[in-house]
Amino acid sequence: MSRSTTTGGSALALAACVLAGVTGLSVTGSSAATAPSATASPVVESRPSTQGEARGFLDTRRGTSTASVSAGLRLASTAARRPAARALQRSLGESALFDVDGSTGTPRLVAKLDGYLTGTSKRPAKDVALGFVRSHLWAFGLVAADLDTLRFRKDYVDISGVHHLSWTQTVGGMPVFGNGLQASVNSRGRLLTVGGAPVSATVVTRSTGRRLATSGQAISAARRDTGEASAAPGPRDVARRVLFVTRAGTHVGWQTVTMSAAEPAVSVLDADTGRTLFRQPLQADASGGDRHATGLAYPFFPGKTPRGGTQVKVDFTAQGWLGGNATRLSGNNSHAWSDVNDDDRAQSSEEAGPSAPRTWNHRLKPFHLSGVSFCDNPWPCSWNPDVPYSWRTNRRQNVTQVFYFVNRFHDHLLKAPIGFTESAGNFQRVNYTHKGKAGDAVDTQTDDGANTAAGLPDGAHIDNANMSTPPDGMRPTMQMYLQHQPGTTYPDGDPFAPTNVGDEADTVYHEYTHGLSNRLVVDARGISTLGGVQAGSMGEAWSDWYAMDYLVAQGLQADQKGKVDVVLFKYDGEGVYYDRTEPLDCKVGSKAARCNGGLTGHLGGYTYRDYAQVVGSPEVHSDGEIWAQSLWDLRDALGSAKTESLVTRAMELAPSNPSFLDMRNAILMADTAVFSGRDRTRIWQVFAHRGMGYYAGSLGGDDAAPSWDFHTPPASTTKAHIQGTVSDPGTGQPVAGIAVSLPFQGGNGVVNPTAVTDAQGDYEISGVPVGSYKRLVVTGSGYDRVAVPVTVTSGGAVVDFEVRRDWAASSGGASVYLFNGPDYGPECGPEQAIDGSQVTGWSSTTGDNAGTPTNVFVDKFVTVDLGVPVDVSEFGVDPSATCGDGGSASLGDYLIETSPDNNTWTPAQQGTFGVADRGRVNLLTPTDGAAGVRFVRLTMKGNQTPDFATSCPGGAYSGCSYTDLSELEVYGAPSAP
């Protein structure tokens, strides 16, 4: 994701650029360690691009709605209870992980936290992996014929000697998207992990292709879905036919990669309906004989720094970066130019020619701007935002600088102990080892969009940087922007000084690392699986961590013992970091002023308990600080080199769309593979100290309300059961078919053990390690999700739940009857306001799409048909911004009306939501119109943009363009006949 996507406002407002709300858990429940029960308190758990905000991650195989999550948990639970699956779990011992994918019923990951799945073997690595699967077909949920669908794709051997193997699947002559078989085997032939969620007995349905019959039509549809100005296929856009397998059936579709788009993405679209089934945004925020080409570059960033603030001479040819006779900055690792018109093509005027033959000695010429105290004190400004084309002065200097940074970091990541090699999928035009796919040197674009507003950058090309990473063999794109919005004051209007982010090493290194993580955390076909919640947060954290780890190791960034000084992006503005709330080296409990705690309410470094609280709602940059600080603790405990090795190898071992706990486990497995488990105890201690201890849990990578724990694993494990009854307080009747899950990834077999209530509402989860857990979670169609803490003793635990019916939930039969404004479905349409999840929501325009001035608000409404008449007791509303919009787009002024027939309407509630109301379901009692309600209409009459009429002509806030709502809920009882 981009380092920052909006300007204006406070430091925390800048960090809170994506606000998506935690999953709603708002209904009371009861719990007890033994019968009888006792009361416990629950834990409440194609859009046009603007301001650099792209459409987000989408995967219809999973979904975040209550119905989707519940269905996935039920399927996984059924698959994990197969006799063969249970026998395999028992055979693997106490540290086993048996993680079943909720869309296929097959293993996402099988592994052990303290060893291997098999003994040593002299057989080829792929035979070891396939032999294990063949011996446990029923446990995997496969049949013998499924093995015939596997196509061996790759055996990548990392620098520690571990083989990373992948098999894709082909059914009926078409490749299956996303699913396959993945395994890792060490140099002694021992199987470390196996998974990949392979599909079984897939039935290929006939496709008419009535909406998308050709690759060109598919590419155009994908471009429209991501909000591109032009739907015409570009020169770097490709498409292929694939099968997309879901719980409900198999779709014949098109997989597209739209690298020519402004917002590149991998997408899958249904060939018959044209519906988007999957979207993975690729843009993440950040030799010539005897002759030698040289240039000047800053090792860190320009200005008065202890080291790295003065331009030094660099021999580009001796480093292997550029041929001795080069006339432009295009080598094996990167082609750098200034894409000032943002067309992703290098015109001759945008190339950075040499200052003399084979010499790029372009010196930075500082700008001295009145009223901007930052300039020259201590660091120089590089352009004047109020003077068109002033960026031309340092254009060639910045291209040279970024070319240096990209090549230098390429070489750092290539070498041991990181080992981002050619076979691992690194970025090179030519792969000298002939391993991996070549032809993918980085397209490095500086001053991106600097000339998109008459010699100045427009609002979508300022205060940002990004990296778009397609699969191996396709060129990634890095874009560096100018900073400080033209026409605004400093620092109140825009706190970023008039500099160029390409002059700052940690920005470039941060963006380049997005390429590393997106090439290593992949599915069987090599496509990144980093989702938009916990995995997206770790993507930002890895980028922060690798950048600062390198700069500290080089002596360019201070890291003094006993001080808090590992600060990112200091060149952004007067030493005040606007992109992160805390430095990386903030320790838990620190009293240092810099360790301010964001909006968590405590000082000191962050823990897993703070997830979604750092800026008040889930946000990948702020939540990523939890992971980055945890990795910095690991670096302090184990040293830079060993931690680099463990963190990188863990990416290669990670399951699809990992959670923080999945990656904790992957680091433990990497320690087994690389260091024979020597640091297992210290690794557990580090993560337990940061809230990712033994009893912590997460319902997958999309869980925005994970549970935390500060314990290391017990010396021995006693297992017991959790049982109870689930009922509806409105009817007093038991509720059948509800999933009750214990989020837990500490070993001992099944990941997230789950039971499903029977006709009497009863459930039982067996084999649970004795201990205290923060969440036992209930999910079911049409009902609010509920979570309560539970303590399991040797005698077990009894936990009874009352689940409250949400009559507005689409999973319970409600539907959107009418709405106005554009339809940004599927993931941002009005249906997302009634899907039971605060992670998704409804986004609409603030204006009317027909030329309304940007300072005029136009009301948008949605009408929900409850399906049956209801006597309403309360409405529930989470007003949080969604779909990547800043907090200013959150619902402000609102009106709720009710009707028995969609003709006669009665105002039932109205008011204004503020910042404190975001990220939670606010309960509202109707003042009128509560009886016999069949239709509910919510009108968005304003948002939370400050001083809307005066601030929006400049367009600095997301709310100037969009107004959002995360969740609308309706509670009550069926009306009497």
Side-chain angles (χ1 to χ4, degrees):
M1 300 294 291
S2 58
R3 293 192 305 115
S4 60
T5 57
T6 183
T7 58
S10 67
L12 286 177
L14 284 166
C17 59
V18 181
L19 294 169
V22 295
T23 302
L25 298 173
S26 56
V27 184
T28 58
S30 59
S31 66
T34 58
S37 302
T39 301
S41 299
V43 181
V44 176
E45 336 213 284
S46 127
R47 206 163 76 94
S49 175
T50 185
Q51 307 286 337
E53 296 167 351
R55 299 194 77 184
F57 180 84
L58 171 71
D59 188 347
T60 57
R61 292 170 299 186
R62 294 197 305 267
T64 58
S65 70
T66 298
S68 295
V69 172
S70 180
L73 289 168
R74 291 197 303 270
L75 177 60
S77 173
T78 299
R81 291 200 307 269
R82 299 186 193 104
R86 288 189 167 183
L88 175 58
Q89 295 160 33
R90 288 192 296 271
S91 71
L92 295 177
E94 292 292 312
S95 68
L97 288 173
F98 193 82
D99 190 353
V100 178
D101 186 274
S103 62
T104 64
T106 59
R108 174 176 178 256
L109 177 72
V110 179
K112 297 178 67 173
L113 291 181
D114 63 357
Y116 295 90
L117 300 173
T118 65
T120 59
S121 174
K122 294 183 179 180
R123 293 184 297 162
K126 64 179 182 178
D127 291 347
V128 171
L130 281 178
F132 184 84
V133 174
R134 188 175 288 110
S135 298
H136 300 285
L137 277 175
W138 288 107
F140 273 66
L142 301 174
V143 296
D146 295 327
L147 297 180
D148 295 332
T149 69
L150 298 177
R151 302 290 183 270
F152 184 67
R153 172 181 170 266
K154 190 174 184 179
D155 179 1
Y156 149 56
V157 183
D158 69 32
I159 61 171
S160 72
V162 173
H163 294 254
H164 299 277
L165 307 133
S166 61
W167 289 260
T168 60
Q169 287 190 276
T170 299
V171 179
M174 276 191 285
V176 176
F177 178 84
N179 302 98
L181 185 66
Q182 294 173 276
S184 57
V185 178
N186 79 347
S187 59
R188 299 184 63 194
R190 305 187 74 183
L191 182 64
L192 183 65
T193 65
V194 64
V199 297
S200 177
T202 299
V203 177
V204 181
T205 57
R206 296 187 64 182
S207 169
T208 63
R210 63 181 181 272
R211 289 293 299 272
L212 305 175
T214 68
S215 60
Q217 290 174 334
I219 291 170
S220 294
R223 291 175 68 94
R224 284 192 294 269
D225 173 66
T226 54
E228 291 301 312
S230 171
R236 298 176 61 192
D237 298 340
V238 296
R240 65 181 301 185
R241 296 290 290 271
V242 295
L243 297 178
F244 189 86
V245 181
T246 70
R247 281 189 301 272
T250 300
H251 302 258
V252 177
W254 289 94
Q255 175 195 321
T256 65
V257 182
T258 51
M259 280 304 295
S260 296
E263 307 289 353
V266 172
S267 303
V268 178
L269 300 101
D270 189 294
D272 290 333
T273 66
R275 179 191 177 199
T276 302
L277 302 171
F278 176 91
R279 184 191 313 108
Q280 171 73 63
L282 298 178
Q283 191 173 93
D285 307 320
S287 130
D290 294 332
R291 297 184 175 184
H292 283 221
T294 64
L296 295 178
Y298 295 97
F300 198 175
F301 57 82
K304 301 172 184 176
T305 59
R307 287 186 61 189
T310 302
Q311 286 179 307
V312 297
K313 182 178 179 180
V314 182
D315 191 326
F316 295 158
T317 302
Q319 301 285 348
W321 301 343
L322 194 64
N325 293 319
T327 58
R328 57 182 185 143
L329 293 173
S330 182
N332 197 49
N333 308 325
S334 168
H335 175 200
W337 76 93
S338 50
D339 190 25
V340 298
N341 62 0
D342 190 34
D343 68 351
D344 295 328
R345 294 183 175 92
Q347 281 80 42
S348 59
S349 62
E350 295 177 322
E351 298 282 6
S355 56
R358 301 178 298 281
T359 305
W360 276 262
N361 287 351
H362 302 296
R363 295 190 178 276
L364 178 68
K365 298 175 182 178
F367 280 67
H368 309 285
L369 307 181
S370 61
V372 182
S373 59
F374 176 95
C375 294
D376 305 310
N377 183 28
W379 301 303
C381 293
S382 54
W383 71 302
N384 188 336
D386 296 322
V387 177
Y389 302 105
S390 65
W391 42 264
R392 286 176 171 170
T393 299
N394 290 308
R395 184 187 70 83
R396 291 196 295 173
Q397 171 270 324
N398 190 249
V399 178
T400 307
Q401 181 64 57
V402 180
F403 181 79
Y404 164 82
F405 282 148
V406 167
N407 280 279
R408 189 170 183 83
F409 212 56
H410 164 277
D411 291 0
H412 166 61
L413 297 182
L414 175 67
K415 295 183 294 187
I418 294 173
F420 186 35
T421 61
E422 296 171 356
S423 55
N426 74 351
F427 310 121
Q428 295 182 186
R429 188 181 66 218
V430 177
N431 284 359
Y432 301 109
T433 63
H434 305 295
K435 296 179 180 179
K437 294 184 179 180
D440 57 0
V442 180
D443 279 347
T444 307
Q445 302 171 5
T446 68
D447 286 342
D448 195 82
N451 188 21
T452 49
L456 294 170
D458 62 22
H461 296 87
I462 200 74
D463 295 343
N464 211 339
N466 61 61
M467 177 83 163
S468 301
T469 312
D472 194 15
M474 299 182 69
R475 300 194 310 274
T477 300
M478 178 184 288
Q479 295 176 324
M480 294 286 134
Y481 299 169
L482 294 166
Q483 296 207 114
H484 196 82
Q485 177 73 48
T488 62
T489 60
Y490 175 85
D492 296 332
D494 184 340
F496 297 105
T499 60
N500 193 317
V501 293
D503 284 328
E504 185 178 47
D506 39 349
T507 295
V508 179
Y509 296 162
H510 171 101
E511 299 306 336
Y512 198 100
T513 304
H514 278 302
L516 171 76
S517 58
N518 279 291
R519 284 279 170 93
L520 295 188
V521 186
V522 294
D523 62 20
R525 200 167 289 278
I527 296 173
S528 171
T529 68
L530 294 179
V533 188
Q534 293 192 47
S537 299
M538 288 188 291
E540 296 301 328
W542 285 320
S543 287
D544 289 353
W545 187 86
Y546 277 87
M548 301 311 286
D549 166 70
Y550 177 67
L551 291 170
V552 168
Q554 294 293 308
L556 298 172
Q557 163 68 50
D559 182 22
Q560 300 182 60
K561 188 175 182 179
K563 290 190 175 183
V564 177
D565 51 7
V566 184
V567 177
L568 279 144
F569 313 133
K570 288 187 291 188
Y571 190 47
D572 278 353
E574 256 182 346
V576 180
Y577 44 98
Y578 289 94
D579 297 289
R580 301 293 181 268
T581 64
E582 289 189 346
L584 264 71
D585 56 343
C586 277
K587 303 300 180 186
V588 176
S590 171
K591 300 296 191 296
R594 280 178 163 175
C595 304
N596 57 74
L599 298 182
T600 64
H602 68 77
L603 299 178
Y606 299 120
T607 71
Y608 206 33
R609 183 174 188 169
D610 298 316
Y611 195 92
Q613 304 303 316
V614 176
V615 294
S617 293
E619 198 280 314
V620 291
H621 301 85
S622 57
D623 290 328
E625 293 186 58
I626 304 168
W627 186 252
Q629 290 180 358
S630 300
L631 294 187
W632 205 262
D633 280 359
L634 195 65
R635 186 184 191 273
D636 287 343
L638 303 180
S640 171
K642 180 171 283 190
T643 307
E644 287 175 344
S645 176
L646 289 173
V647 173
T648 309
R649 303 288 78 76
M651 289 186 199
E652 297 161 336
L653 297 171
S656 173
N657 191 29
S659 69
F660 283 23
L661 300 180
D662 287 327
M663 289 309 306
R664 174 204 67 189
N665 291 344
I667 288 173
L668 288 164
M669 289 184 275
D671 181 53
T672 295
V674 183
F675 302 108
S676 300
R678 288 194 293 271
D679 296 299
R680 186 175 300 125
T681 298
R682 282 196 288 178
I683 292 169
W684 267 114
Q685 290 170 344
V686 166
F687 283 107
H689 189 61
R690 288 285 179 172
M692 288 170 268
Y694 181 73
Y695 299 104
S698 176
L699 293 178
D702 291 327
D703 190 347
S707 53
W708 66 94
D709 176 69
F710 299 97
H711 293 85
T712 56
S716 60
T717 304
T718 301
K719 296 182 181 180
H721 62 270
I722 305 173
Q723 63 184 15
T725 303
V726 180
S727 60
D728 184 333
T731 64
Q733 297 299 308
V735 182
I738 294 285
V740 184
S741 305
L742 183 70
F744 177 65
Q745 289 88 47
N748 284 283
V750 177
V751 168
N752 299 329
T754 297
V756 180
T757 57
D758 60 19
Q760 289 72 47
D762 295 333
Y763 73 91
E764 180 177 332
I765 304 174
S766 60
V768 176
V770 167
S772 294
Y773 302 84
K774 298 297 186 297
R775 288 196 309 161
L776 181 65
V777 183
V778 178
T779 56
S781 297
Y783 290 91
D784 271 357
R785 187 180 302 191
V786 179
V788 297
V790 58
T791 296
V792 182
T793 69
S794 57
V798 175
V799 187
D800 296 328
F801 289 92
E802 291 183 336
V803 291
R804 196 178 188 187
R805 179 70 184 265
D806 172 14
W807 294 97
S810 56
S811 61
S815 61
V816 172
Y817 180 81
L818 186 67
F819 69 98
N820 66 343
D823 185 355
Y824 293 144
E827 84 282 6
C828 294
E831 293 82 3
Q832 300 303 96
I834 58 171
D835 67 349
S837 170
Q838 292 164 259
V839 175
T840 53
W842 173 37
S843 178
S844 191
T845 52
T846 295
D848 66 358
N849 286 338
T852 298
T854 56
N855 61 340
V856 175
F857 192 96
V858 177
D859 295 352
K860 300 297 190 304
F861 72 86
V862 59
T863 300
V864 178
D865 181 356
L866 304 183
V868 296
V870 175
D871 294 335
V872 177
S873 60
E874 289 178 311
F875 304 106
V877 179
D878 179 359
S880 299
T882 187
C883 297
D885 297 334
S888 59
S890 300
L891 175 62
D893 295 339
Y894 69 91
L895 170 66
I896 300 176
E897 301 167 281
T898 61
S899 173
D901 54 10
N902 198 36
N903 291 314
T904 303
W905 290 93
T906 301
Q909 251 291 347
Q910 58 186 328
T912 302
F913 293 115
V915 173
D917 300 314
R918 301 177 194 169
R920 69 183 187 189
V921 174
N922 299 274
L923 297 179
L924 310 168
T925 302
T927 58
D928 199 359
V933 175
R934 174 68 185 266
F935 297 90
V936 174
R937 182 167 66 197
L938 184 148
T939 302
M940 301 191 293
K941 303 184 72 65
N943 60 30
Q944 296 181 22
T945 301
D947 301 318
F948 183 86
T950 58
S951 63
C952 278
Y957 293 94
S958 290
C960 299
S961 300
Y962 300 112
T963 301
D964 300 346
L965 165 69
S966 285
E967 189 68 10
L968 169 63
E969 300 175 352
V970 176
Y971 301 111
S975 301

